[in-house]
Amino acid sequence: MTIQRKCVVMLCMVTALAASSLYADDKVVLKIATVAPARSAWDIELKKVAEEWNRITGGLVTMKIYSMNTLGGEKSGIQKLKAARPGQPAPLDGAIFTTIGMHELVPDAYMYTLTLPFLIQNQTELDKALSVYGNKIESKIKAAGYELIAWSNVGWLSFYTKEPYSTLAELKKIKMSVSGLDSPILSDSFKVSGFNVVDTPTQKFSQMLKSKNGIGGFFAVHLMTYATGFYKDINYALDIKLCPVIAGFVISNASWEKIPKKYHAPLKEAMEKARKRLNDALDSSDADCVQKMEASGVTMIRPPKDELRKWEAEFDGNINDIYKAFPNAFDMEMYKNIQALVAPMRK
């Protein structure tokens, strides 16, 4: 082999090695924490999305999924989205938070507004509200340093108790747990509304729920309550659409920008398809959880319409009290506008 040919072969080898090294550096591993219980519909769909993202990007993007509970809850998840020291990568690239976590992450997005009791009473109304105000909320999330990949309704808020009740006044007397995040606005808002609430550390929640002298109930969605098995420690569940519980999937701007822009739209489209599947199946999923909980001995509380009208009027009055006490808790103007937006849809 001539010297010239050897040089050409060597140059090709160096170029190939350099290209290989460059490709390796371009690979993106996203560490994502989620509040979704293991083996729940959300957990299954997220894992499918992870596979789809890997396929769309030709193996460039890999998603590693972690349970938020094992990390210490949503508050810990928020902390892990930020680097411990300047110049260091953050422990997490993104997360799926509940409304509580989204509010703590981006307070001026006023996510609580969409989940105020009786404001939004079905998926059609929620879709309408998001079509009008979604961009406004998304811009606040972007400005805070995060890309909103998707948000979805993960269920309808329900109260789960050991004791029975037939009126809102009776419900408010039961000692309820606020667990999963140190959220003073959440717990204080319940207190202003007249609820008997106690802040419960995530790691002690199950123990206090089982204890006779612990808590008398909690609030969540049917899917979470059934998937975690917490329904085994309560006797009654409220089965009405009190308000939607919205989950937000965010990735830090820095991590999102590591992915070539040509993939951004296809990746979001894949997540949107999963979100739609979840939303379309939500009612049947809730019905399935209700049936299974009832079969295990849980009694469903379904207040009559005249009683619910009293609840709605009282919650509306509570909202005014909460806003006076915590003017930064939610956007009152948006609340009033959404009321006007959905009113024609109920006629």
Side-chain angles (χ1 to χ4, degrees), residues 261-272:
K261 288 192 184 331
K262 65 180 180 179
Y263 294 123
H264 286 183
L267 296 185
K268 282 193 172 185
E269 184 179 351
M271 188 65 224
E272 173 61 17

Side-chain angles (χ1 to χ4, degrees), residues 278-347:
L278 286 163
N279 281 356
D280 289 346
L282 186 57
D283 283 347
S284 60
S285 174
D286 270 3
D288 182 56
C289 290
V290 166
Q291 183 180 16
K292 289 176 178 176
M293 286 191 287
E294 283 187 304
S296 74
V298 175
T299 299
M300 292 293 151
I301 294 179
R302 300 180 176 98
K305 288 184 179 180
D306 60 337
E307 179 63 27
L308 284 178
R309 279 193 288 269
K310 295 177 184 177
W311 287 34
E312 186 169 357
E314 186 167 341
F315 271 114
D316 191 50
N318 291 156
I319 286 166
N320 290 323
D321 293 336
I322 294 168
Y323 187 71
K324 289 176 183 177
F326 311 105
N328 295 322
F330 58 91
D331 187 332
M332 179 61 87
E333 181 181 2
M334 188 191 300
Y335 172 74
K336 296 294 184 183
N337 288 340
I338 292 176
Q339 278 186 321
L341 184 70
V342 302
M345 302 171 70
R346 297 178 186 173
K347 293 180 179 178

Side-chain angles (χ1 to χ4, degrees), residues 37-306:
R39 297 179 297 281
S40 67
W42 249 100
D43 179 56
I44 293 168
E45 284 292 345
L46 186 59
K47 288 174 180 175
K48 288 180 181 178
V49 169
E51 294 176 358
E52 184 68 1
W53 280 23
N54 189 261
R55 184 195 66 77
I56 289 171
T57 60
L60 186 69
V61 174
T62 299
M63 192 189 300
K64 290 188 176 181
I65 302 169
Y66 302 86
S67 168
M68 195 80 74
N69 285 336
T70 62
L71 298 177
E74 293 190 65
K75 182 178 181 181
S76 179
I78 291 171
Q79 293 172 340
K80 286 178 170 58
L81 281 173
K82 301 168 185 176
R85 295 182 180 83
Q88 289 186 346
L92 289 176
D93 296 284
I96 296 177
F97 293 111
T98 65
T99 310
I100 303 171
M102 287 299 296
H103 175 82
E104 295 294 321
L105 183 69
V106 191
D108 64 352
Y110 299 116
M111 286 294 295
Y112 276 135
T113 309
L114 296 172
T115 59
L116 291 171
F118 293 104
L119 176 62
I120 294 171
Q121 299 181 14
N122 57 57
Q123 187 62 44
T124 302
E125 292 180 2
L126 177 58
D127 290 341
K128 183 67 175 178
L130 288 175
S131 71
V132 175
Y133 295 102
N135 288 338
K136 179 181 179 181
I137 297 172
E138 187 172 350
S139 66
K140 294 291 186 181
I141 295 171
K142 183 74 174 179
Y146 305 95
E147 184 74 20
L148 179 68
I149 307 304
W151 48 32
S152 178
N153 182 9
V154 297
W156 298 88
L157 186 71
S158 181
F159 289 94
Y160 302 86
T161 64
K162 297 176 182 178
E163 303 171 26
Y165 56 89
S166 58
T167 66
L168 184 56
E170 292 173 348
L171 175 61
K172 286 183 174 182
K173 291 178 182 178
I174 299 173
K175 186 190 293 185
M176 291 284 180
S177 168
V178 177
S179 176
L181 184 78
D182 294 332
S183 178
I185 287 180
L186 181 65
S187 58
D188 290 346
S189 294
F190 269 94
K191 290 172 185 175
V192 169
S193 300
F195 281 87
N196 179 16
V197 298
V198 292
D199 295 319
T200 308
T202 302
Q203 62 273 23
K204 293 184 178 181
F205 172 76
S206 181
Q207 176 186 345
M208 292 185 69
L209 184 61
K210 293 178 184 297
S211 172
K212 291 183 179 180
N213 299 318
I215 56 177
F218 62 96
F219 59 91
V221 298
H222 290 329
L223 175 62
M224 190 281 283
T225 303
Y226 181 76
T228 57
F230 291 148
Y231 71 94
K232 297 175 183 177
D233 297 308
I234 55 97
N235 301 311
Y236 301 90
L238 181 66
D239 190 29
I240 64 170
K241 286 182 167 63
L242 187 62
C243 62
V245 176
I246 301 173
F249 180 10
V250 295
I251 292 177
S252 70
N253 289 342
S255 296
W256 184 243
E257 290 305 317
K258 290 178 183 178
I259 302 171
K261 288 192 184 331
K262 65 180 180 179
Y263 294 123
H264 286 183
L267 296 185
K268 282 193 172 185
E269 184 179 351
M271 188 65 224
E272 173 61 17
K273 289 179 180 178
R275 183 202 68 81
K276 191 173 186 308
R277 287 194 297 270
L278 286 163
N279 281 356
D280 289 346
L282 186 57
D283 283 347
S284 60
S285 174
D286 270 3
D288 182 56
C289 290
V290 166
Q291 183 180 16
K292 289 176 178 176
M293 286 191 287
E294 283 187 304
S296 74
V298 175
T299 299
M300 292 293 151
I301 294 179
R302 300 180 176 98
K305 288 184 179 180
D306 60 337

